[in-house]
Amino acid sequence: MAVTVKECLELQLLEVEMLLSMFPKRGEFSLDADAVPSIQRYLRNADGALPPQLEYRIALDVGEAKVAPQLFARSDALHRQQQLQLNTRLMSHISSLDPGDLCVCEAVQWVKDNTLPFLENSQTSSECASKEVRVKEVLRRMWIYSHHIYRQELRKKIFDCAKKLNLTGFCLTGKPGVICVEGLQENCEEFWRVIRYPNWKHISCKHVENIETEGSIDNLRLFHSFEDLQFQAHGDYGLRNDYHMDLGQFLEFLKQHQSGHIFQILFGVEGKLSDN
């Protein structure tokens, strides 16, 4: 069956809607201000002249993709600071390898050859730690952006993982999807590793905050639990408006949790609340 002009225009609006979510940063996706409204007017009243041809521009970074290995050595015999130093030296060694070299076997051998001094110093460090007034800890807060979050099994995975790792924050369901987790640095790193695997497309960690404290990291948390956020849905670009989250309500939520500045980091535009 032949596709009608109206159906073609509706598909174009859906495609624009998808592209706006995929390229939210300023300058990535641009089109004439009247392009979409002229199509919407025609769809409401098809008796008039056809709207102008839809044209838009997409700015792409076509540089060669760089995939760096993510390795982490863990031992119950090492304190957190010793473990951090060990992994810092490990990653420094791996980064010195030529691009394209196999690195996992090299990393295993390096750990075998270089871990003993850390283990020998572990007992001394434990004795010194008992004399310290407080042990410094690092609260990490990660802000993660996705094109959308819909599937129930994915949402269950996110919430189960956050609970297991004692992370607080939220998951904003819908389009776009946003996740914030805060807790111990290594637990946040483990959460990021788990939810990305095996291949979650259109997801990126937009911003990371690290805050060092001599007290409990719980005093630095902005969230008291891991919340399920679902705001009123709306949109301006065609047929599937029920999938768009009300970003005005989301901005208000961020400001209530001392995080209003994150809106521009996530979406590339400064957030403004309505006066109404």
Side-chain angles (χ1 to χ4, degrees):
M1 183 181 296
V3 180
T4 66
V5 172
K6 182 179 179 181
E7 290 172 330
C8 288
L9 293 174
E10 289 173 344
L11 288 173
Q12 286 184 351
L13 289 181
L14 284 174
E15 186 174 45
V16 168
E17 173 187 339
M18 178 188 68
L19 291 170
L20 284 167
S21 296
M22 290 175 60
F23 302 100
K25 293 182 180 179
R26 182 178 300 176
E28 285 186 331
F29 180 86
S30 56
L31 76 167
D32 185 76
D34 193 50
V36 170
S38 64
I39 295 178
Q40 293 173 329
R41 287 194 295 270
Y42 178 82
L43 292 176
R44 290 193 296 267
N45 181 15
D47 295 335
L50 285 173
Q53 181 177 351
L54 181 63
E55 296 182 354
Y56 47 80
R57 295 168 297 282
I58 301 176
L60 297 175
D61 182 2
V62 295
E64 181 181 356
K66 298 179 180 179
V67 181
Q70 295 188 2
L71 304 172
F72 189 81
R74 180 179 287 116
S75 172
D76 293 337
L78 297 177
H79 295 297
R80 184 176 295 111
Q81 187 62 31
Q82 293 172 317
Q83 200 157 263
L84 177 61
Q85 292 173 354
L86 174 66
N87 281 282
T88 299
R89 290 185 55 189
L90 171 60
M91 291 309 299
S92 176
H93 174 70
I94 294 302
S95 64
S96 68
L97 301 178
D98 293 333
D101 283 357
L102 297 177
C103 64
V104 175
C105 291
E106 177 70 22
V108 171
Q109 187 61 47
W110 187 93
V111 170
K112 291 173 64 177
D113 295 341
N114 293 272
T115 305
L116 185 58
F118 290 92
L119 295 174
E120 291 175 342
N121 291 333
S122 179
Q123 183 176 359
T124 303
S125 298
S126 298
E127 295 172 354
C128 294
S130 64
K131 299 177 182 179
E132 293 180 0
V133 178
R134 305 300 291 265
V135 177
K136 290 186 178 181
E137 290 188 334
V138 175
L139 174 97
R140 170 161 292 189
R141 187 176 299 116
M142 301 179 69
W143 299 90
I144 300 167
Y145 175 90
S146 175
H147 173 250
H148 62 267
I149 300 176
Y150 297 138
R151 294 186 291 114
Q152 288 297 326
E153 61 270 25
L154 176 58
R155 296 178 61 236
K156 184 178 185 302
K157 181 178 181 181
I158 292 170
F159 279 84
D160 288 349
C161 188
K163 181 179 179 180
K164 177 182 177 182
L165 296 170
N166 191 30
L167 301 178
T168 53
F170 64 84
C171 174
L172 174 63
T173 302
K175 182 196 299 181
V178 178
I179 304 170
C180 173
V181 288
E182 57 179 5
L184 290 175
Q185 179 176 340
E186 56 267 32
N187 289 355
C188 289
E189 292 173 352
E190 178 69 7
F191 176 87
W192 179 230
R193 184 190 68 80
V194 170
I195 67 166
R196 282 191 305 169
Y197 184 83
N199 187 22
W200 185 352
K201 297 181 179 179
H202 308 305
I203 182 174
S204 60
C205 182
K206 292 282 190 177
H207 186 58
V208 174
E209 301 172 67
N210 292 316
I211 307 174
E212 190 176 80
T213 177
E214 293 184 350
S216 170
I217 64 168
D218 292 337
N219 298 328
L220 300 175
R221 295 180 188 262
L222 298 180
F223 306 91
H224 301 296
S225 62
F226 193 79
E227 303 181 49
D228 181 13
L229 295 188
Q230 296 188 42
F231 295 126
Q232 178 183 357
H234 78 107
D236 298 320
Y237 289 95
L239 304 178
R240 297 173 61 187
N241 295 342
D242 56 313
Y243 283 91
H244 282 278
M245 294 299 100
D246 188 330
L247 296 184
Q249 293 184 38
F250 181 49
L251 173 60
E252 184 174 359
F253 172 82
L254 290 177
K255 291 190 173 183
Q256 290 173 355
H257 292 81
Q258 297 82 51
S259 302
H261 63 286
I262 296 296
F263 191 91
Q264 185 168 13
I265 296 174
L266 292 173
F267 304 110
V269 295
E270 182 179 357
K272 294 183 179 180
L273 294 176
S274 172
D275 294 332
N276 296 332

